[in-house]
Amino acid sequence: MDFESVAKAVTAVATPIAALVGVASRRKRLRNEIRENLALAEELQKNTILNEHTPVAVWLYGRIALDVAKLTGQPLGVPKKPIPKGSVVAAAVISAGFGWWAYFINRGGFVWYSVFPGSVSVLMLISILGMTTNREIPDAGQGSDQQDPEGEEAGVAEEVSGLPAEEAA
C-alpha cells in the first residue's frame, strides 16, 4: 500500500463524517465562499481598469446574490408546476401498447387500418411532451383580467371629485 491510496481512503471516509459533524458542511463552505467573494469584489472595485472596462464586479455580485439565495433557501428562477409522474407513466404505457399494436398489424407489410393505433400512440407521445414542457406558473398579479370592477368606479369618482374614493361616495 502506498501513501496515495491510504490518503484517498482516509479522505473518502473522513469527508462524510466531517460533514455530519458540521466541520466541512456545505452551508459553512458556502458562507466562506460568500465572504471571500465579497472581499474579492471590494478589491475589484478599487482597481479602476477592471472596474471601468469589464463587468467582472457585476458578475461577482450576481454570484454572491445567488449564493446568498441558496444559503437562505430562497427559490431561484421561475416557479414551475411539478411533472405529473403518474400521468406521464400512464401515457407512456398507453403509447407503447398502441405503438406495439400498430407494429404487430404491420409486421408483414403496411395495412391501412394500422394508422388508428399508430395515431393514438403519437397522440400519447405529444401529451407526454405537453406534460413535461411549459410548466411555469404564471404571475397572478400581472394579468389585466384580474382588475377589481369597483376599482374602476372608485378611480372615476376620485378623478371627478378630487377626493379619495371612500370620501367621494
Side-chain angles (χ1 to χ4, degrees):
M1 293 182 94
D2 60 335
F3 178 73
E4 186 176 334
S5 62
V6 171
K8 285 182 181 178
V10 169
T11 304
V13 171
T15 302
I17 293 172
L20 282 175
V21 174
V23 174
S25 70
R26 182 172 184 220
R27 295 178 63 83
K28 188 176 257 186
R29 282 191 315 244
L30 197 54
R31 281 191 199 110
N32 287 335
E33 282 182 27
I34 292 170
R35 209 172 289 121
E36 291 169 1
N37 286 341
L38 280 172
L40 180 60
E42 290 173 6
E43 291 293 322
L44 289 173
Q45 288 291 333
K46 293 176 187 173
N47 188 332
T48 58
I49 295 173
L50 285 176
N51 196 17
E52 291 176 7
H53 299 292
T54 64
V56 70
V58 176
W59 294 339
L60 194 54
Y61 282 123
R63 173 63 188 208
I64 292 167
L66 287 175
D67 287 345
V68 169
K70 285 179 190 175
L71 186 64
T72 59
Q74 296 297 316
L76 299 172
V78 178
K80 294 184 178 184
K81 294 184 288 188
I83 294 175
K85 294 178 181 73
S87 298
V88 169
V89 169
V93 168
I94 292 170
S95 177
F98 277 94
W100 180 83
W101 188 17
Y103 170 77
F104 184 75
I105 291 172
N106 287 325
R107 69 185 181 277
F110 179 72
V111 180
W112 70 271
Y113 51 85
S114 68
V115 170
F116 299 115
S119 297
V120 172
S121 178
V122 168
L123 288 174
M124 288 295 121
L125 291 174
I126 291 172
S127 75
I128 291 172
L129 180 69
M131 287 185 271
T132 57
T133 58
N134 196 19
R135 300 177 297 122
E136 295 175 358
I137 299 173
D139 258 351
Q142 298 266 339
S144 61
D145 56 312
Q146 303 274 338
Q147 284 186 345
D148 185 4
E150 295 177 4
E152 290 181 4
E153 295 171 4
V156 171
E158 187 175 331
E159 287 178 11
V160 171
S161 66
L163 298 172
E166 295 84 29
E167 293 176 15

